[in-house]
Amino acid sequence: MSLELRPYQIQDLSFYIANKKCLNRSDTGTGKSASVCVMFKYVSDYEHGSSIWVMPKSLLGKNKEELEKWTGLSTLIYRGKPTKDKWRGERYDVILTTSDTLMNHYETIRLMLKKKLTLIVCDESHLYYSSITSKRCEFFVALSRKIERVVFMTATVIRGRLDSAFPIIHVIEPRFYGHHRSFLDQHCIRDSFTNKVIGWRNAEKVGKILEKFSISHTFRDVYGNRNLVYLPVTVELDPKHRKMYEQFEQMAMLELEDESVLSATEAGVYTIRCRQILSCPEVLGLKVAEISKDWWLFENILGGQFERVVIFSAVVGEQVRLLEKVATAGFSVELINGTVSGEKRVKIDEAFRRGDLQVIIASPATAGVGWNWQIMEACVFMSTDYTDDGFTQAVARGVRGVRETALPIFIPQYQRTIEQKVLGIIQRKSLLAHAVDARKEVLKGLICG
C-alpha cells in the first residue's frame, strides 16, 4: 500500500523546499516525520544531494524504519562504533546519527554519503541544541554555515529558559541578534547584586521571530482536543518515612541506622538527597517498611484496573525498585533508562505495541520522545524531572492521534515535600513557553491542594 502525505504535510514539504533553513515546531504527535522523510527524497532526486538526520539515540531505529518505508532510500545508523549496519565502504543517501557522534565523527560520516551533503535535519533538537555555549552546539552552528539546508524539528523551542531558542534562531538567521550576548541584553533580567539571570522579558519578540521562519500545527488543528485528564493524587507518607524526610529537610543531616551521618553542604546535593529519601530511601541505607507510593500503585493502577501502563520516574533508584517489584508481582515489565541500549529500547517498544508487554517503567529523559504508545491505558508519574517539556513530551507518548477513551495521567505526590515544589517549577516553566507561543499549553492542576 502506497503512503500519502496529508494536505497539511504537503504544505510542510513545500515550506521546507522554499525555506532552506527553517523550523517545524508543530505539537508532538502531529506527523512531522512524514514530511521530513519525503524531503530527504526530494533532496536526493531533485537536488542530487545526500542528508544527515540527527536525533536522540532512542529514535534511531524508529526513524530509520519510517524513512525507508516512505522513500526507499539507502540509510545507515552510525554511532561511531561497530553496529549491525557496520560500514564497509558503502555509500548512503541518508545517515542517521546523534549530535555527539556528528560532532566527533563528522568527517567519517561525510565520506559515507553518496553525494554532496545538502541537508541536515535535527529531530527533537531541544534535547541537544538548546545551549549555545555547549561544544556540540558550537560545532553545529559552525557546520550549519557550510550546509545549504537545515530543518529543525521540535515542539519545545523554549526549554525553561528563553535563550534555549537562541541556537535555532542563530542558525536560521544570525542577523536577528548577531550573538548570544546581544540576545541576553535584550531579554534577560539580572540580579543587581550578583548579576545572575533571574528572569526573562520581551518573550513576545522571540515568538514573532519564530513565526517568521517556522510552521506549527497544534494537536487540536490535526486531531481535535487531546483526550486526556490530569489526576493529581495525594499519597500519605508513612509516619516514620516522613520523620526521616523532615529531619533532613530542616537540618540537611540525618543519622542512619549504622550510626553514619547523611549530610549535604551544597544546594544541589541537598535537593538530590531530599528526592532520594522520598523516592528510593533504600539507596541511602534508610529502612522503610512500605513505600507509600508503591502501595498506592499496586492498589489503584496495577490491581486489575488497567492492562497497559507506562510508569515514569526521574530517579534511578526508584526505577530499579519498581522494576523488581512489578516483575515479582507477575507482570511482564521492562525498563527504559540511560543504561538501556538503543537496540533494546526498540525491542521493548515493539513488544509493548504488540501487546506482549504490560508495563514499561521509564525515565522521561530517555522515553519522552518518539515512541507511539497509544496502546497505554494509564500513565503514572511516580516522580518527575524539572522540565515542562519533559513532562508534556512524556504525556504525548500516549496521545498519538485520536483516542477513543481519555488517557488518565496520574500524578501521585506527598504533601508538603519537595515533590510539590518540583511540580510548581514545571507549571511556571510552561508559562514562559506560553508567553512565546500562546498556543502552548499552560500546565496547571498538577498539584494537590
Side-chain angles (χ1 to χ4, degrees), residues 57-58 336-348:
K57 67 179 181 180
S58 292
I336 297 179
N337 66 10
T339 67
V340 178
S341 69
E343 184 178 348
K344 185 173 181 181
R345 295 179 198 183
V346 171
K347 291 180 179 178
I348 293 171

Side-chain angles (χ1 to χ4, degrees), residues 327-387:
T328 300
F331 295 90
S332 55
V333 56
E334 291 284 359
L335 170 66
I336 297 179
N337 66 10
T339 67
V340 178
S341 69
E343 184 178 348
K344 185 173 181 181
R345 295 179 198 183
V346 171
K347 291 180 179 178
I348 293 171
D349 165 60
E350 291 172 348
F352 190 65
R353 287 189 287 117
R354 283 196 309 267
D356 296 340
L357 196 60
Q358 295 170 283
V359 180
I360 290 179
I361 297 166
S363 68
T366 55
V369 294
W371 308 116
N372 298 320
W373 292 339
Q374 58 267 38
I375 191 175
M376 79 167 78
E377 298 174 6
C379 175
V380 182
F381 284 88
M382 295 291 277
S383 55
T384 64
D385 59 23
Y386 290 84
T387 63

Side-chain angles (χ1 to χ4, degrees), residues 43 47-51 113-119 146 148:
V43 165
E47 296 186 349
H48 309 291
S50 292
S51 306
L113 296 170
K114 283 184 179 179
K115 307 166 188 174
K116 177 184 176 182
L117 175 58
T118 303
L119 167 67
K146 306 174 185 178
E148 186 176 354

Side-chain angles (χ1 to χ4, degrees), residues 230 232 391 411 423 426-427 430-431 441-447:
Y230 296 122
F391 184 87
I411 313 168
L423 291 168
I426 290 173
Q427 293 187 154
S430 75
L431 286 170
E441 176 188 12
V442 175
L443 294 173
K444 51 188 178 181
L446 306 184
I447 306 172

Side-chain angles (χ1 to χ4, degrees), residues 139-156:
F139 168 82
F140 187 76
V141 169
L143 176 61
S144 69
R145 300 290 176 250
K146 306 174 185 178
I147 308 302
E148 186 176 354
R149 292 185 176 278
V150 176
V151 177
F152 292 98
M153 302 165 58
T154 176
T156 314

